[in-house]
Amino acid sequence: MARETTVTVNTLPSMDFETRIFPHIGGYGRYNRLVVLFSWFPNFAVMLNLFCDVFFTHIPESYHCKPDPQLLPSTFLPSNFSRQGYLNLTIPWVNGSGLSHCELFKYPSNTSDFSEKVHRERVSCTVGWEYAHVAGLQSNFVTEWNLVCSDFWKIPLQHICFMTGWILGYILLGTLCDWLGRRRCFLLSISLSSLLGVVVCLSSSAVVFLLLRLSQGVMLAGVFVSSYIARLELCDPPNRLMVAMISSFFSVIAELLLPGIAVLCRDWPVLQAVATLPQLLLLSYWCCVSVFPESPRWLMATAQIPQLKRSLREFSTRNGVCLRDEIYPGETLLSEIDTAFGEDCQPRYFSILELRQTRVIWKNCLILSFTLFIGTGIQYCFTRNLHSYSSNFYFSYFLRVMTGALACVFICLSVNHFGRRGMLLLSAIITGLSSLLLLALTQYLRGGLVLVLSVVGLLFSQALAMLSVLFACEVMPTVVRGGCLGLVLAAGCVGMAASSLMELQNNGGYFLHHVIFASFAVLSVLSIMLLPESKRKPLPDSLKEGENQRRPPLLLPRPDRDDLPLLSTRPRLSEYNPDNYSRLVSATRKMLTKESLPYRIAVPMQAPLLSDSETQSQEDGTLKEVMS
């Protein structure tokens, strides 16, 4: 018989937030919905800055060296040739791609023969390049500093630096989110990202641009992770999925609007300034505390009792809940909090280092990091097939955006019915099958079938990524939710940066890249089965609650199977229930203090949510006086 091993985790006294606190402050009331609404706007601002990188680093479809008169003989007269003839004489022609991107002809100084028979030396560009129209912009990061030919490697390096900033931001600011709180981390991140966004517009060189974009990525990651966690911690279980998916629709809206904004801006500094403008507007959250308050769930999980009481009063008031008029006495709610935590309970903050003492939480974090890494990294394999089907930039761009919107709709319609784990498993299976079919049968399939498989794989890979993020936020405990979600999102950024590593090697390792991610997608099917199910379940708050999550059985038990032992006995129900007693006291007190009665017993008025010991003693005295 195998011996069960237990893992000891450091915990604080706690209460069940979903059943003991959340319903008595209005539940998912109008104030919670208002805060969630304002938490969607940061998602729009962050994604607008993230996808600007596509336009900043887009290479023009055609470009060539500027003709250099110094390389031509002295007898050459440009007026004797047309524009195209002049280019043909000065720039080599490459079969299949037109004019050479990186070379010029150098003629002997004393020749007068310009035919192909004369010996012409090929040299690198000397006076710069001429670019065709860039998608959406007239100038970008590439054309500003001529990052082509020998400097082409700086383009994927820029994307890698940007993703490195996001990775660092998710890990560092996710942990900071657990130490300082959701609101403080958000305000710090949005302030610095706005400042860096303005400074990026003033970049004077490619190196400065790289460093500033890396720093901006760190702060943008903090904005995303803090707002994502805050909105889910204010929702009840039935509404968490829709709230998360609507935030994804804000991302889709940002992607759809971005090409039009780029056309209107024309130059990359103007586009960067416009993308920074929503962040500047979000700085108003500094003054308006009510639109982005601190999460009461995090305050309770970290035992910050005074701040928790103020937050509960704020939420109950703004949700229109007068706790004194409820059957359950609101004035005893904070008394129960004091009893549960004790008067001398000190706040305690956790970090991702606590995962060393866990098994289930660490396992869930590792699996979801793996699935998100696959979901983001394998998208490059599908989008590359779209480029081969059509070279039009907008075709692949809008097709990817539309598949993202369809992925959101698919998750909204299916996940609440079939569960998080089941749909995550289905998305991984279809993603892996699409990738394997493309890998094995591309040369035997027609272009239409390749396009269909690419679109299906792209759709379900995006669904896999979105669902992994939501799943991770739901199964990680509140005390380390920021750090754990940051680790998962950082793994997703590593997958996004993998495509740039392929471009850095001129796509030399694309086949190996495709094989690895297709294999990983198949392998993830097995690991997903080890995850718990979080559909309509309360969020875990402590490490102990996170460790108690267990995966459901693969097969439902037979209804005719008797699982009860032969000599099982049910525990006898206690006749004393403190909740029923407190309800009786409150109802009796309310009845005796009505104005319509011929007599009235004076009871000192107390503010809502009082939690001192005198209140309980006064209630006991009142009850004894009435009974006598």
Side-chain angles (χ1 to χ4, degrees):
M1 182 176 180
R3 184 180 59 182
E4 294 185 359
T5 59
T6 59
V7 180
T8 304
V9 294
N10 296 324
T11 60
L12 286 172
S14 62
M15 293 178 62
D16 189 351
F17 188 88
E18 301 286 349
T19 59
R20 303 295 294 172
I21 295 180
F22 197 62
H24 304 297
I25 60 173
Y28 188 56
R30 60 172 182 261
Y31 180 54
N32 294 59
R33 293 193 292 268
L34 180 66
V35 174
V36 167
L37 172 64
F38 279 98
S39 72
W40 288 330
F41 298 130
N43 209 58
F44 176 84
V46 169
M47 292 301 137
L48 198 64
N49 281 269
L50 174 62
F51 293 109
C52 276
D53 199 62
V54 177
F55 292 89
F56 288 161
T57 59
H58 178 65
I59 303 174
E61 295 180 1
S62 63
Y63 60 93
H64 57 79
C65 301
K66 291 181 179 179
D68 186 0
Q70 300 296 328
L71 302 178
L72 300 174
S74 58
T75 57
F76 178 79
L77 296 176
S79 59
N80 295 335
F81 300 89
S82 64
R83 172 65 179 173
Q84 187 61 42
Y86 178 53
L87 293 177
N88 291 335
L89 288 174
T90 56
I91 303 174
W93 184 269
V94 180
N95 292 333
S97 60
L99 297 175
S100 174
H101 295 319
C102 306
E103 291 182 330
L104 287 172
F105 281 135
K106 181 178 181 181
Y107 288 84
S109 59
N110 56 355
T111 185
S112 58
D113 183 8
F114 300 104
S115 64
E116 297 181 358
K117 298 179 180 180
V118 67
H119 174 71
R120 296 175 294 184
E121 183 183 355
R122 294 192 177 193
V123 297
S124 300
C125 298
T126 56
V127 292
W129 286 260
E130 291 182 357
Y131 300 97
H133 182 67
V134 184
L137 294 171
Q138 289 186 348
S139 67
N140 63 2
F141 174 71
V142 178
T143 61
E144 181 78 12
W145 293 291
N146 293 323
L147 302 183
V148 292
C149 298
S150 61
D151 289 333
F152 167 78
W153 59 273
K154 294 181 181 179
I155 300 175
L157 179 64
Q158 189 275 335
H159 184 69
I160 292 174
C161 289
F162 192 43
M163 288 296 102
T164 301
W166 283 78
I167 293 171
L168 295 175
Y170 280 137
I171 296 175
L172 298 178
L173 294 177
T175 302
L176 198 65
C177 199
D178 294 326
W179 288 347
L180 298 181
R182 290 37 169 151
R183 174 177 168 79
R184 292 178 182 175
C185 181
F186 172 80
L187 294 178
L188 174 65
S189 302
I190 197 66
S191 302
L192 294 180
S193 65
S194 302
L195 177 62
L196 290 169
V198 174
V199 177
V200 168
C201 302
L202 308 176
S203 301
S204 58
S205 65
V207 176
V208 174
F209 184 84
L210 291 176
L211 296 176
L212 290 176
R213 288 289 284 176
L214 187 150
S215 303
Q216 188 187 22
V218 174
M219 295 300 120
L220 289 173
V223 175
F224 180 83
V225 70
S226 59
S227 59
Y228 194 96
I229 293 174
R231 76 172 65 97
L232 287 192
E233 289 183 346
L234 293 177
C235 299
D236 54 352
N239 291 292
R240 284 201 304 261
L241 176 67
M242 293 305 299
V243 166
M245 288 302 103
I246 292 176
S247 68
S248 298
F249 278 114
F250 272 73
S251 303
V252 172
I253 293 173
E255 288 186 79
L256 285 175
L257 294 179
L258 192 55
I261 296 174
V263 171
L264 295 176
C265 293
R266 301 171 67 90
D267 295 324
W268 73 265
V270 181
L271 178 60
Q272 174 63 32
V274 172
T276 307
L277 182 60
Q279 299 181 64
L280 296 175
L281 296 177
L282 292 175
L283 291 177
S284 59
Y285 288 15
W286 273 100
C287 304
C288 303
V289 181
S290 59
V291 300
F292 200 95
E294 186 54 80
S295 169
R297 183 186 292 272
W298 175 77
L299 293 173
M300 187 197 73
T302 53
Q304 302 181 65
I305 305 305
Q307 296 89 332
L308 173 62
K309 292 178 180 179
R310 290 195 296 268
S311 178
L312 295 181
R313 291 190 184 99
E314 180 75 11
F315 273 84
S316 61
T317 302
R318 293 185 177 273
N319 278 327
V321 177
C322 186
L323 296 174
R324 208 179 261 281
D325 293 337
E326 296 291 334
I327 296 178
Y328 182 85
E331 58 268 22
T332 66
L333 176 60
L334 297 186
S335 298
E336 291 187 15
I337 294 176
D338 288 333
T339 303
F341 287 89
E343 297 181 357
D344 299 330
C345 184
Q346 297 296 323
R348 183 180 174 188
Y349 308 99
F350 297 80
S351 69
I352 54 177
L353 298 178
E354 303 289 340
L355 297 184
R356 295 177 301 175
Q357 305 177 20
T358 66
R359 294 180 59 188
V360 176
I361 301 173
W362 174 247
K363 177 199 67 178
N364 295 339
C365 183
L366 187 62
I367 294 174
L368 291 170
S369 299
F370 185 53
T371 57
L372 184 58
F373 169 73
I374 295 168
T376 56
I378 205 171
Q379 292 179 23
Y380 174 71
C381 304
F382 300 122
T383 55
R384 194 169 185 269
N385 287 322
L386 298 180
H387 290 311
S388 61
Y389 187 82
S390 175
S391 59
N392 191 341
F393 169 79
Y394 290 107
F395 172 79
S396 58
Y397 180 87
F398 283 109
L399 193 57
R400 181 174 56 82
V401 175
M402 295 310 298
T403 54
L406 290 176
C408 292
V409 174
F410 166 74
I411 292 175
C412 291
L413 297 178
S414 61
V415 171
N416 264 345
H417 183 69
F418 297 102
R420 272 67 160 159
R421 191 178 70 153
M423 299 317 298
L424 188 70
L425 182 64
L426 178 64
S427 300
I429 291 174
I430 298 179
T431 300
L433 287 177
S434 301
S435 181
L436 289 175
L437 289 174
L438 286 173
L439 189 64
L441 303 175
T442 298
Q443 57 182 345
Y444 304 106
L445 298 177
R446 294 184 178 181
L449 291 176
V450 173
L451 178 62
V452 170
L453 286 175
S454 300
V455 171
V456 171
L458 189 60
L459 188 154
F460 281 94
S461 63
Q462 289 179 310
L464 180 66
M466 294 179 190
L467 199 50
S468 298
V469 177
L470 172 63
F471 210 160
C473 196
E474 288 185 330
V475 300
M476 298 304 162
T478 302
V479 291
V480 291
R481 183 168 291 129
C484 292
L485 183 61
L487 287 177
V488 174
L489 291 169
C493 289
V494 173
M496 296 174 65
S499 62
S500 298
L501 291 176
M502 295 299 102
E503 296 176 359
L504 194 60
Q505 300 175 358
N506 200 18
N507 290 324
Y510 167 72
F511 181 77
L512 181 61
H513 176 93
H514 199 164
V515 170
I516 291 175
F517 275 93
S519 304
F520 282 170
V522 176
L523 182 61
S524 67
V525 173
L526 302 176
S527 61
I528 290 173
M529 304 302 294
L530 302 176
L531 292 172
E533 180 56 64
S534 61
K535 183 184 73 171
R536 299 185 182 277
K537 291 184 179 179
L539 297 176
D541 290 323
S542 63
L543 294 176
K544 182 179 180 181
E545 293 178 7
E547 282 294 289
N548 289 335
Q549 298 180 107
R550 294 293 184 267
R551 64 177 179 85
L554 301 181
L555 300 175
L556 295 177
R558 295 193 304 269
D560 56 345
R561 182 176 179 180
D562 187 7
D563 292 330
L564 295 177
L566 295 178
L567 300 177
S568 63
T569 56
R570 293 185 179 180
R572 184 177 180 182
L573 298 177
S574 174
E575 297 180 358
Y576 172 73
N577 190 337
D579 291 342
N580 294 336
Y581 177 75
S582 61
R583 292 191 183 97
L584 176 63
V585 172
S586 180
T588 305
R589 176 188 174 196
K590 187 185 301 183
M591 180 183 67
L592 296 178
T593 54
K594 287 184 178 179
E595 296 289 345
S596 58
L597 294 177
Y599 57 87
R600 179 178 179 181
I601 299 176
V603 179
M605 298 298 294
Q606 301 287 347
L609 294 177
L610 292 180
S611 59
D612 53 339
S613 58
E614 296 181 0
T615 303
Q616 187 66 32
S617 62
Q618 290 175 2
E619 291 177 351
D620 295 339
T622 302
L623 183 59
K624 291 179 181 179
E625 182 179 351
V626 172
M627 299 301 292
S628 61

